[in-house]
Amino acid sequence: MNATPILPGLSAVEGKLLTATFDAGRLSSDGGVIVLREIAKRLDLAGTITGPLRDDRDPVRVRHSYGEMAMARMVMIAAGYEDCDDVDALRCDPALKIAIGRAPDSGADLMSQPTLSRLENLPDWRALARIGLGQIDLYCRSFARPPQRIVLDIDDTDDPAHGQQELALFNAHYDCTCFQPIHVFDGLSGKPILSLLRPGKRPSGEEVAKVLRHVIRRIRKHWRRVEILVRGDSHYCSEPALALLETMRCDYILGFAINSKLLEIAAPWRKQCEERRSWLKPTVRRFHQLPYKAREWSRSRKLVARVEATDLGSDARFIVTNLQGRGKTLYEKVFCARGAVENLIKDMKRFTRSDKTACSRWEANQFRLFLHMGAYWLLHALRRAAPKRSRWRGATFETIRRTFVKIAVRVEELKGRIKLTFPASYPQAAMLAAMMGAITTRGP
């Protein structure tokens, strides 16, 4: 019996009639979320985010646990569905149901958007503080063995607000009303450590010191002897932050804003670089080290000056550090490497859409930020599961998502098993299998 086409009038292909029907069975365009589920289970992402939440609901009437709701939200964000409204259109998706541990046919459908919104508005600041500490614990758990040395890259970014959200302020530097969250990443592995929503203004020295104190203490609770290097831009260089890092026996290398005194000191060096320029050597760069005591500092500290002359003129930039070594190495190899954190922040903002902070309450927006951190963990762990020398190790999150998450799959729920059938033409089948093997053997 011929199927009745649902798209009448399609043109023939090489003389053959073209028909289209909706009888292919249970299909999904997000077959790769099955792999994301394994990553989330090994990292215990859902437990980290929802463990501190108090559940006062009637157990008899509960259909969706907090863990299932957080899991669904993180997996959907990683798959490119960053809006909470998207869940209403995907409640019956078989792959997403499997991702949260439900059978594709006999299992209950996913939760609705209002249910997820209630979850986002549930935590108070105490619960959020415990979740934040749990994120640091998650970072430490992600290592198979304690590292000898870690690098903490701290930076902030703009998060434009479009309404009357709490903590949103006008920022003249970004020329918009925004939040200005602080992000802390592992500069060596790219793993997220903490993301904190905060008002749209530059953080003070006391605020920076408070954030670093909590992060370092929590890390040292797991790894007592780990060596910690903190890197940041010039507005993270303040007496409270420097004194804290020295007290906690941490290394630091931070940008230092130039002032009139430093301009005077650097003037002869700039002149010397300009005189040494020639058409054979159009760029001249020199490095100098000097002791310096800023007005608000309690003592003198070491500055490294980078002086450069090009056809556009000469300039000088300074960093402050307690590291030993040549100025050229400290500046070019150690300090400039902190620029990678901007790419990590871009990954979180652009590919997990962490700037979807449209709730009116700051607590709800902070909880959303933690959910987007979870999605970042999923994509980051999936990318790191690729072989070290493969091109996927340097791919963007969007490339990882399109290649390994957005895969068509047919789902069949049988009596004793669930059968997943992927396209025979899928070109990266062997690579996905290798990545899955790496996740199950060595972990994310």
Side-chain angles (χ1 to χ4, degrees), residues 34-82:
I34 312 300
V35 181
L36 298 183
R37 173 177 180 260
E38 299 303 320
I39 296 174
K41 288 180 63 178
R42 280 160 174 75
L43 291 173
D44 191 24
L45 284 178
T48 299
I49 292 178
T50 62
L53 301 182
R54 180 178 175 180
D55 193 348
D56 294 327
R57 299 176 297 173
D58 183 357
V60 177
R61 305 177 65 182
V62 170
R63 296 182 58 192
H64 312 287
S65 69
Y66 289 160
E68 289 175 335
M69 288 192 278
M71 184 72 166
R73 191 79 173 93
M74 290 184 291
V75 168
M76 290 184 66
I77 293 172
Y81 307 108
E82 67 274 1

